[in-house]
Amino acid sequence: AADDALAHEITVLHIASRRTYGVPRIHAELRRLGHRVNHKRIARVMRERDIRGVTRRKHRSLTRADTKAKPAPDL
C-alpha cells in the first residue's frame, strides 16, 4: 500500500516534468516536498511501473557551409 501511494506521487511528479525526470530528480523533488524516501526504493518503484526519464536536448548544427565559397577543384 505504501509503494502504491509512493508510485502515485512519483507519477504526478513525472507527468509534471513532461515525463523527463529520472530517479535523481524525482528523489530531489520528493525530499523538497518533505518525503523521506531512499533513492533505491524510488528506482525500484519506477522500474516496476515502467516509469523512465528522458534526456531532451536541442539539436543544433555547429558547421555551416559558406554559400559564397568557390567549390574545391576536381583533382
Side-chain angles (χ1 to χ4, degrees), residues 7-49:
H8 177 69
E9 291 285 330
I10 290 172
T11 304
V12 168
L13 289 173
H14 188 67
I15 291 172
S17 72
R18 296 185 346 211
R19 301 186 187 275
T20 58
Y21 281 9
V23 174
R25 286 185 175 173
I26 294 287
H27 181 249
E29 285 291 320
L30 288 173
R31 291 290 298 233
R32 190 178 62 79
L33 294 173
H35 297 283
R36 291 191 56 181
V37 185
N38 191 348
H39 67 96
K40 293 179 183 180
R41 182 176 177 200
I42 295 171
R44 178 179 52 80
V45 170
M46 288 179 71
R47 193 177 332 110
E48 288 172 354
R49 292 179 173 60

